[in-house]
Structure formats: C-alpha cells, structure tokens
Amino acid sequence: MDLGFNLQALGIEWGTAVMFGMLILLLLTGMPLAFVTLLVALIFALGWFGPMSIPLITSRVYSFVMNFVFVSVPMFVLMAAILDRSGIARDLFDAMKLFAGRIKGSVAIQTVFVSVILAAMSGIIGGEIVLLGLLALPQMLRLGYDRNLAIGVVCAGGSLGTMIPPSIVLIIYGLTANVSIGELFTASFLPGFMLAMFYCAYILARAYLTPGAVPDVDPTPVPREEKIRLLKGLALPILVVVMVLGSIYGGIASVTEASAIGVGGVLLSTVLRGEFSYALLRDAALQTLGTVGMIVWIGIGATAIVGVYNLMGGVDFVSEMITGISDNPTVIVLVMMAILFFLGAFLDWVGIALLTMPIFVPIITDLGMDPVWFGVLFCMNMQVSFLSPPFGPAAFYLKSVAPPDISLGDIFRSLLPFICLQLLAVGLLVAFPGITGR
C-alpha cells in the first residue's frame, strides 16, 4: 500500500483536517510560513497524486510570480523604504500642525492625517508605524497626552496603509482574486477615509469628554515665516500623492507604471531636499529585497498548497460547507469574516490572502456579490489583524521604537478601542456595500 493510496484513502474531509493540523504543528515549530506551506503542499502532492503532480504545482507558481502587476509591489516597497530614510515624513508631520493646531487633541489628529498621506504615498504599514513611533509618539507623551490614546493613534493610524490606495494588500488581493486593481483602489478610498474619520471622532470625544486625556490648546500663533517654511514641507509629499494616484485615476498610467512614477517622485524629492546619497539608495534597496522576498516566498508556498488542495477537491468541499451554513448570503459573508478574523490573530496577511481568497472569492461570485466590494471588506478585516493580539504586527513594530517603559501588554490594551472602531467599519461595509461606490 503506497503513500498515495494511504493519503487518498483519508477522503477530503479527513485530508483537510490532516493538512490543517500539519500546518499548525509545523508553524508551532517556528518554521516560516512560506516553507511550511511548500512542505505540506509537496507532501500532499506526492501522497495524494504521486510524482506526476509536481509539474502542476510549478506551473501555478510560475503563473503567480510572472504576473506583470506584481512588479508594482517592489516599487511601492522601495518608495516606503526611501521615505523611511528621508526627512519627508518629519516635515510632513510638522506641516500638518498648521491645519490642526487650534483643535483640542491636535497632535493626535495630525498624526491620523499624516498617516493617510503616508499611506497614499507608499501603502506599506510597518514603515509608517515606525516613523510615527519616532515622530508622533514622543511628542504626544511629552505634551501630556493620555499614554493609551497616543499609542493607539500611532498603531491604528499607521495601519491605514492597508486601506488607503496604493495598498499592497489590495494589490495582492487583486492578483489572487483576478479583479481590477484600479477598481479596488477606487472602491477602497472612501472606506479608508471613513475609518480615519472614526479615529478622529474618537480622539475628539476623548479630548472633550475625558478630563486630562489631552493637553490644552496652545494659544501662541505660528509666525508667518514659520508657516511658509512648514508649507514647503507639505508640497513634495502632496505632489507625490497626486503623481501616483492622479496617474492611476486619470487613466494616464496603470498601477505598475504609477508605482514607478512614485519611486521617481520620491527620489526626486530626496534630491531636491539634498538628502539623496548612495547609502540611502543602497539601504532602501536592501530593505526592499528582504520585504519583497518574504512576500514572494509566502506567495509561492500559498499558491502551491492551494493548487494541491484544489486538485484534491478541497475547494469544492469548503465551498459546500460554507454555503451550507445558511441560505442568507450576509450570514455566509459574516462567517468568512469570522474565519479571517481568527486567522488574522496568528498568520501574516499575505498568507491569509493567498490561502483563503482562491476559496472565498468564487463563493462570493456564485452568491452574486461583487468581488471588488469583498476585496475592500477583506482589507478592512486585515486592519483588525494588524492590531489584534497575540501577534498583531502593529504592536511589535511600535515596540521596536517605543520607550522601554511601554510593554507589549500596554500597547495591546491601548489598541482595544481602535479594534472596536475597525469592527464597526467592517459591520458598516457588510450592511451598506454602497460605501465602496459599487
């Protein structure tokens, strides 16, 4: 009795359980997700179908990595890496006080707006949180902001890169679900801005309803010369955003071409500011290589295991199981959201997207729902995963630059109100799909 007969004899139900159990056990050993998925895919391909199935896996992997739109991922990562090493974000943060300076809780409000602009420039989450942790968090703590509020604003605001175009999460979803990334960008802008406004509303509520949560407004006017200097710091970031998003929405460039335009814009900005150097470009390129390498390897592993599982009949099995829960499409969508929420507490968003979307998106299409709307809903759910314990990456990004007296437990406790706001946004998107303009 060979290995192929043994595994196939399990049937799809037990085969699914064994595959899932093997994934969990290997992940608990500390092995990277990319290698876990590749190993499990190889075991089940050989054990279920035999050696002849290996070329089918390699062909699926090849089609994934050869997608032209995927070129935009390293471009946007490179933009973020250059921003990390320039003073553009710092000047942007300083300039925003001109617009929020006379409002109670102004530094927290300007942190959210800077988060939106940074997200619209690069769409990378980790770099934003680190930048804001270095710029905004010390300033809010020094001014006397409630520590939990300051921590939550930095983590939640920095995570807006998931929703605001040009989001890498939206690009990976579009590649996986085979939907227009331009349409995803258009549909996600209003929900992303809505979430940012929820954060601002919460900040203002804390500022005016909780005594001592924020400092009093500084009545000192900003001198005219200082205003001009600050506005100069706002010009280049806004220009880059207009170049990237304007070229996409205006039909001038595709997403891939716009990503290259964005890199050119950020590089030009560093030259004009006198910050460009070989060391800056080299370090940014090395960071890009590491980040994109991780994304590609996770993509290869996830594509391989989903391909094998699909050949086993697993996708049909899961589809029938999920659709059999209820005749109400909304209930099915809520079950999917619950699954994504659970997975988000333990897995990276890249793995979640590439493992689940090939199964979920066909179900959504069969139910007559819009896969573009579902993509925005998926990204909003991933916002929650960035903050939720025990492995919310936003907390670990901030911990790497936070003062030593701020523990991971402090950070996760600070994030609870913002997780509630994100869940509210998910609920509104499910109840009112028109928010996406679809």
Side-chain angles (χ1 to χ4, degrees):
M1 188 178 291
D2 61 18
L3 181 61
F5 183 79
N6 282 339
L7 281 184
Q8 212 165 34
L10 291 173
I12 189 58
E13 295 87 352
W14 282 105
T16 300
V18 171
M19 179 180 279
F20 186 74
M22 195 178 294
L23 280 170
I24 298 297
L25 287 174
L26 289 173
L27 285 171
L28 289 175
T29 66
M31 189 185 297
L33 176 64
F35 301 139
V36 168
T37 48
L38 269 175
L39 179 60
V40 174
L42 185 62
I43 290 171
F44 271 81
L46 292 172
W48 201 280
F49 302 105
M52 296 302 292
S53 62
I54 301 301
L56 294 174
I57 298 176
T58 55
S59 66
R60 279 185 62 94
V61 170
Y62 182 79
S63 64
F64 169 75
V65 296
M66 288 301 291
N67 196 312
F68 182 64
V69 178
F70 199 77
V71 175
S72 63
V73 175
M75 290 290 102
F76 285 126
V77 175
L78 182 58
M79 280 177 64
I82 295 170
L83 283 171
D84 277 353
R85 289 159 176 78
S86 73
I88 295 173
R90 182 190 64 244
D91 287 353
L92 173 62
F93 183 78
D94 290 341
M96 288 305 296
K97 72 181 180 184
L98 291 175
F99 303 95
R102 308 308 292 269
I103 302 172
K104 209 172 180 185
S106 58
V107 179
I109 297 286
Q110 80 187 62
T111 300
V112 174
F113 277 95
V114 168
S115 301
V116 172
I117 296 173
L118 288 176
M121 290 177 73
S122 65
I124 303 296
I125 294 91
E128 284 186 44
I129 294 172
V130 170
L131 277 172
L132 294 172
L134 292 170
L135 292 173
L137 184 61
Q139 187 171 344
M140 283 191 277
L141 295 177
R142 178 178 57 82
L143 291 172
Y145 277 76
D146 177 81
R147 192 168 76 159
N148 289 342
L149 178 64
I151 292 169
V153 167
V154 168
C155 283
S159 299
L160 284 169
T162 308
M163 286 298 303
I164 306 291
S167 163
I168 302 295
V169 183
L170 288 168
I171 293 173
I172 296 297
Y173 173 86
L175 289 171
T176 309
N178 197 28
V179 298
S180 166
I181 294 170
E183 289 182 13
L184 284 169
F185 281 3
T186 304
S188 68
F189 185 82
L190 184 57
F193 193 72
M194 175 187 75
L195 186 58
M197 292 303 99
F198 283 178
Y199 296 160
C200 290
Y202 174 70
I203 293 166
L204 291 172
R206 288 291 307 275
Y208 288 97
L209 300 178
T210 308
V214 303
D216 293 329
V217 177
D218 183 3
T220 308
V222 180
R224 184 170 177 272
E225 295 77 11
E226 180 70 2
K227 286 182 179 179
I228 294 172
R229 187 189 70 79
L230 291 174
L231 284 173
K232 285 180 180 177
L234 195 59
L236 287 174
I238 295 298
L239 182 62
V240 172
V241 171
V242 170
M243 287 169 61
V244 174
L245 296 184
S247 61
I248 295 172
Y249 295 141
I252 300 169
S254 67
V255 172
T256 306
E257 292 161 343
S259 66
I261 292 171
V263 171
V266 173
L267 279 173
L268 180 61
S269 298
T270 59
V271 171
L272 294 175
R273 293 167 55 88
E275 296 175 337
F276 180 79
S277 67
Y278 169 74
L280 180 146
L281 189 59
R282 179 198 62 207
D283 293 346
L286 288 173
Q287 181 184 339
T288 302
L289 186 64
T291 303
V292 176
M294 177 269 293
I295 292 174
V296 170
W297 271 110
I298 291 176
I300 289 172
T303 303
I305 197 169
V306 169
V308 172
Y309 192 57
N310 193 14
L311 287 173
M312 289 164 56
V315 173
D316 292 336
F317 166 69
V318 174
S319 298
E320 290 172 6
M321 187 170 61
I322 291 177
T323 53
I325 291 171
S326 173
D327 293 330
N328 187 334
T330 303
V331 173
I332 294 172
V333 170
L334 291 175
V335 169
M336 290 180 182
M337 290 298 104
I339 294 171
L340 293 174
F341 181 75
F342 173 77
L343 292 175
F346 302 99
L347 294 180
D348 186 88
W349 67 265
V350 184
I352 296 171
L354 295 169
L355 287 171
T356 60
M357 290 307 107
I359 300 172
F360 286 0
V361 173
I363 298 174
I364 290 296
T365 306
D366 290 343
L367 291 172
M369 294 179 167
D370 185 0
V372 173
W373 160 78
F374 188 73
V376 178
L377 191 58
F378 165 73
C379 285
M380 190 68 83
N381 195 302
M382 289 301 98
Q383 283 270 161
V384 184
S385 78
F386 272 100
L387 304 190
S388 56
F391 300 119
F396 290 92
Y397 289 136
L398 183 60
K399 177 59 182 168
S400 68
V401 294
D405 62 320
I406 295 178
S407 68
L408 270 174
D410 295 332
I411 296 173
F412 278 124
R413 279 191 294 273
S414 303
L415 297 180
L416 290 176
F418 294 90
I419 292 174
C420 292
L421 292 173
Q422 291 170 338
L423 291 173
L424 172 63
V426 170
L428 287 173
L429 276 177
V430 173
F432 306 103
I435 295 173
T436 61
R438 304 294 295 179

